[in-house]
Amino acid sequence: MLSIYEKIFPIKGSENEEFMLFNGLYGAFDKISSHEADIFYSGKFDELDPERKKYFVKRGHITEDLEHEQENLRLISKLHSLTRGKTNIGIIIAPTYNCNLRCEYCFEKHRLKNGEEWLKRVMSPEIIDAIFEQIKKYKDKGYIIQDVSLYGGEPLLACNKELIREFFRRSEELNLKVGAVTNGCELDRFLEFNFSMLQITVDGLRETHDRRRFFADGSGSYDKIIKNIALALEKGIKIGLRINISHSNFNAVRELPKEFERLGFLKYKHFSYYFTSVHEENPVSDVAIAEELKNMGKSLRDIIKLEGAYSTVAFRISDFLKANELPVLNPTHCGAENNMNVIGAEGLIYPCWSLLAKEESAIGFVDEEGKRFLYDLNASQWHNRTADKLKPCNTCPLIMICGGGCAGYDSKYLKEGNCDEAEKIFDDIAPHISGKSELKSLSMREALENLSPDERNTLLNTDDINKALGIYKKMKLKITEK
């Protein structure tokens, strides 16, 4: 019978009317003829050539045992948890909740209710010391931490410059890069620092931007931000520009690329920009943004580069299409389910950027005396959220593409899937990029079937990272040697 994780679609631009089989559980892509596609659509697999049928079973497109398929799903989820999800740790630090802007769509507006004194608090030296001591402990144990990201509020406020200097000093001691998400308004005061990357937001030309992103006194921020971006680019700092799109600034999709060219930003290789939908009551969809880019004459490659949600889906597909490598199968949506720590100025730890300063959503705190992170029961809800435990995700072909969807905007999604536009985006992208002639996709099913019953049982029941890594390395070796 056909795997429940199967999608079949025609390959765009194929001269021979070829089709593609995609198995979302195992990450397997296989080209088939139109005749074979008819058989797959009808489910009459006995009409297949016997050798081809055997091949499709081995790859996971045809299954003879649905229970075995579900066990393989649990194995894949466990492998991810122990070999990737538990070994990488993300550190995002908000040194203050204060901000010099009052953006109309800010998801952190709840901060303003706590008063000026609370807003102006900065992270204490004791909390900073405990954070970096915990990072050192993690690294000493072999966990992967490559950088620290500064967030807020607004992390780059001139009044907090010495605090930022301390973050750099402590990060350099541990060989960590430092990046920041900043509004860029006071960036000119921080150009001496060696940022690995800065994300800055510009939402349109001057009039549009200033209507959406303005200072506390109501004045516009556009001119100051643009000037500081130019200064940072001249200093060689990598800039990733985010453009938040809603109905009120949809014209920015057409206007801003021309403006960036006029400003000379596009000549810098370390400058990039992308569009993304703002989560609000009646948002513009990511698909609508992509359609507008298409209407502008942008190629699919351009759209994948310029539209945030399309880029995410394309990245996941590319993880399946790496030549002669096992597909990277990820049953989680983002870092929130994979040991991301967003640390607020007060020392509380949150799972997600969008939940910062919502104390009821904290998953732990920085223990200043013990110089460590302590987690509570909320943490397990996030760190154990994988798509195999969610409905309808656990039977969806896009289980490893969407990973259960975002749970940061509504707590109900901690226990159910948030499909959003993943299927529409996949259907738009996959028929084009998966049909390349050099396609050499491996299938995780082939690797899993090389495991002995004892190895399968060990993986299903162990929490020992080293045991899991040993079995995974053996799997990779066997499949890539063939």
Side-chain angles (χ1 to χ4, degrees):
M1 68 186 78
L2 188 69
S3 168
I4 60 175
Y5 300 101
E6 203 70 23
K7 285 182 76 73
I8 309 165
F9 50 85
I11 298 173
K12 298 291 184 182
S14 171
E15 296 180 1
N16 301 316
E17 296 184 353
E18 291 176 306
F19 283 69
M20 183 65 69
L21 293 178
F22 167 64
N23 187 279
L25 175 60
Y26 300 122
F29 282 92
D30 282 287
K31 291 180 182 179
I32 57 173
S33 67
S34 58
H35 172 66
E36 288 175 326
D38 288 339
I39 293 173
F40 269 88
Y41 281 125
S42 69
K44 298 177 181 178
F45 299 120
D46 288 340
E47 296 179 11
L48 286 168
D49 174 84
E51 287 302 310
R52 287 288 279 172
K53 181 180 178 182
K54 184 178 178 181
Y55 171 80
F56 293 134
V57 170
K58 181 177 75 170
R59 298 278 288 170
H61 302 296
I62 299 173
T63 183
E64 297 171 339
D65 187 341
L66 289 176
E67 287 187 11
H68 188 68
E69 194 170 53
Q70 289 297 297
E71 184 179 281
N72 280 346
L73 170 59
R74 293 193 297 275
L75 280 169
I76 290 168
S77 181
K78 196 67 178 288
L79 275 170
H80 168 80
S81 175
L82 291 177
T83 62
R84 288 188 75 215
K86 290 287 194 299
T87 54
N88 293 271
I89 295 176
I91 304 292
I92 296 95
I93 302 173
T96 179
Y97 288 131
N98 201 11
C99 186
N100 43 10
L101 295 188
R102 295 294 183 266
C103 305
E104 66 173 17
Y105 55 83
C106 180
F107 61 80
E108 292 185 10
K109 283 183 180 178
H110 57 277
R111 295 176 301 110
L112 304 179
K113 298 176 182 178
N114 294 323
E116 268 315 290
E117 187 176 340
W118 183 89
L119 272 178
K120 290 182 178 180
R121 267 193 319 180
V122 296
M123 187 172 282
S124 71
E126 291 78 16
I127 292 176
I128 294 171
D129 185 52
I131 289 172
F132 283 95
E133 285 299 317
Q134 176 65 89
I135 292 174
K136 184 178 185 303
K137 292 172 188 175
Y138 280 142
K139 288 175 71 72
D140 288 345
K141 290 181 178 179
Y143 290 96
I144 300 169
I145 305 174
Q146 297 177 329
D147 52 40
V148 168
S149 295
L150 301 177
Y151 192 61
E154 168 52 40
L156 304 187
L157 294 174
C159 59
N160 295 328
K161 186 172 181 179
E162 291 309 307
L163 186 65
I164 301 305
R165 192 183 305 281
E166 178 65 7
F167 281 120
F168 268 88
R169 185 185 73 79
R170 296 298 298 263
S171 296
E172 288 167 1
E173 288 178 349
L174 297 177
N175 197 29
L176 299 171
K177 296 177 181 178
V178 180
V181 178
T182 172
N183 59 37
C185 294
E186 299 181 25
L187 177 58
D188 51 316
R189 305 290 294 272
F190 293 87
L191 295 178
E192 66 191 79
F193 295 104
N194 185 28
F195 290 102
S196 60
M197 193 268 188
L198 295 174
Q199 179 184 292
I200 302 174
T201 299
V202 173
D203 277 1
L205 301 183
R206 183 183 292 104
E207 182 181 350
T208 300
H209 173 94
D210 285 349
R211 187 176 67 246
R212 293 162 59 84
R213 300 180 66 80
F214 44 85
F215 288 104
D217 64 4
S219 61
S221 63
Y222 181 83
D223 290 336
K224 185 67 174 171
I225 294 170
I226 292 297
K227 180 182 177 181
N228 285 341
I229 290 172
L231 290 173
L233 288 172
E234 289 173 13
K235 294 281 284 187
I237 298 173
K238 185 178 180 180
I239 301 290
L241 216 63
R242 174 185 173 114
I243 303 137
N244 294 316
I245 298 296
S246 62
H247 292 285
S248 66
N249 72 326
F250 197 72
N251 284 343
V253 177
R254 286 184 174 271
E255 294 171 346
L256 274 180
K258 297 175 186 176
E259 182 71 354
F260 296 152
E261 184 173 8
R262 186 189 70 79
L263 291 166
F265 292 172
L266 300 184
K267 70 183 180 184
Y268 294 100
K269 291 184 179 179
H270 50 282
F271 173 80
S272 63
Y273 66 93
Y274 73 98
F275 303 94
T276 191
S277 172
V278 175
H279 286 261
E280 53 186 19
E281 188 174 341
N282 183 29
V284 170
S285 72
D286 290 294
V287 172
I289 296 171
E291 282 298 318
E292 183 68 0
L293 290 168
K294 193 181 298 181
N295 293 336
M296 292 165 55
K298 298 294 184 182
S299 67
L300 181 63
R301 174 181 284 187
D302 290 333
I303 292 170
I304 289 170
K305 180 181 177 182
L306 296 176
E307 210 295 317
Y310 274 67
S311 176
T312 299
V313 172
F315 181 81
R316 293 257 180 149
I317 293 174
S318 70
D319 273 344
F320 301 159
L321 295 173
K322 293 177 180 177
N324 301 316
E325 289 186 31
L326 276 179
V328 178
L329 301 174
N330 185 351
T332 63
H333 180 68
C334 69
E337 297 117 351
N338 291 288
N339 286 343
M340 183 165 76
N341 298 272
V342 184
I343 307 167
E346 80 285 56
L348 289 179
I349 301 172
Y350 301 87
C352 172
W353 317 74
S354 63
L355 297 175
L356 187 64
K358 295 181 179 179
E359 294 188 7
E360 70 278 7
S361 297
I363 59 172
F365 66 96
V366 178
D367 174 16
E368 300 170 43
E369 186 175 339
K371 299 184 186 300
R372 56 184 176 170
F373 297 169
L374 290 178
Y375 299 98
D376 58 29
L377 292 177
N378 282 342
S380 63
Q381 291 188 77
W382 286 92
H383 296 161
N384 291 317
R385 184 184 186 265
T386 50
D388 55 298
K389 302 183 184 80
L390 307 173
K391 292 182 179 180
C393 310
N394 57 356
T395 56
C396 176
L398 300 185
I399 186 168
M400 303 295 170
I401 296 286
C402 168
C406 177
Y409 292 99
D410 193 323
S411 59
K412 73 178 184 180
Y413 291 125
L414 273 171
K415 296 182 179 179
E416 62 183 76
N418 179 9
C419 298
D420 205 12
E421 295 185 289
E423 185 168 15
K424 290 179 183 177
I425 295 171
F426 179 89
D427 290 346
D428 203 9
I429 293 176
H432 294 272
I433 67 176
S434 63
K436 297 178 181 179
S437 59
E438 65 269 22
L439 177 70
K440 295 180 181 178
S441 161
L442 295 180
S443 171
M444 183 61 81
R445 184 185 183 278
E446 296 176 76
L448 290 173
E449 295 311 304
N450 286 329
L451 296 178
S452 69
D454 283 346
E455 288 171 328
R456 291 175 69 91
N457 186 60
T458 297
L459 271 182
L460 285 171
N461 295 291
T462 189
D463 286 318
D464 188 318
I465 293 175
N466 290 325
K467 280 185 180 179
L469 281 171
I471 294 172
Y472 184 59
K473 288 176 182 177
K474 188 187 296 185
M475 285 170 55
K476 289 177 67 174
L477 186 62
K478 284 186 178 180
I479 192 72
T480 54
E481 281 182 341
K482 287 187 176 182

